Amino acid sequence: MTADGEQRRCQRVTVGFHNSGGTAVRSGEVTFGTHIIGALGVDWGTVASTVRLPVPLAPGARKSPTWTVCVDAWRVPLGMHIETRDVSVEWG
């Protein structure tokens, strides 16, 4: 789930995690792919950013943390906006 951030170059991104395994997750990273979108809807590029997983995540546990994902201001000129469309997880 995404929501506008406080600045045009930022977005709040909520990701739900569920540990369906039998052991606790103790490390890992979440990578966001944030797209730069022009006024006419053209996707001008994608910027990746990485954060740590909210660990530990016990077996059967669920968490839905929210991160503020921002890109450099110069990447988002007036009339453009961002959309965080891609999320990938690497479990440690």
Side-chain angles (χ1 to χ4, degrees):
M1 179 173 76
T2 61
D4 291 340
E6 293 179 16
Q7 300 175 17
R8 180 173 41 84
R9 64 185 191 93
C10 297
Q11 193 170 44
R12 295 187 45 79
V13 181
T14 302
V15 181
F17 297 100
H18 175 217
N19 181 356
S20 59
T23 59
V25 174
R26 301 204 185 283
S27 65
E29 296 179 329
V30 180
T31 300
F32 300 104
T34 302
H35 296 253
I36 312 300
I37 309 297
L40 299 176
V42 174
D43 189 334
W44 288 96
T46 304
V47 177
S49 57
T50 302
V51 296
R52 294 181 189 266
L53 275 173
V55 293
L57 188 59
R62 295 178 186 267
K63 288 186 181 180
S64 295
T66 299
W67 289 276
T68 299
V69 178
C70 297
V71 300
D72 296 322
W74 65 268
R75 293 183 180 269
V76 191
L78 288 174
M80 298 178 85
H81 67 280
I82 65 169
E83 294 179 10
T84 302
R85 297 179 178 173
D86 310 312
V87 178
S88 63
V89 176
E90 185 174 316
W91 306 98

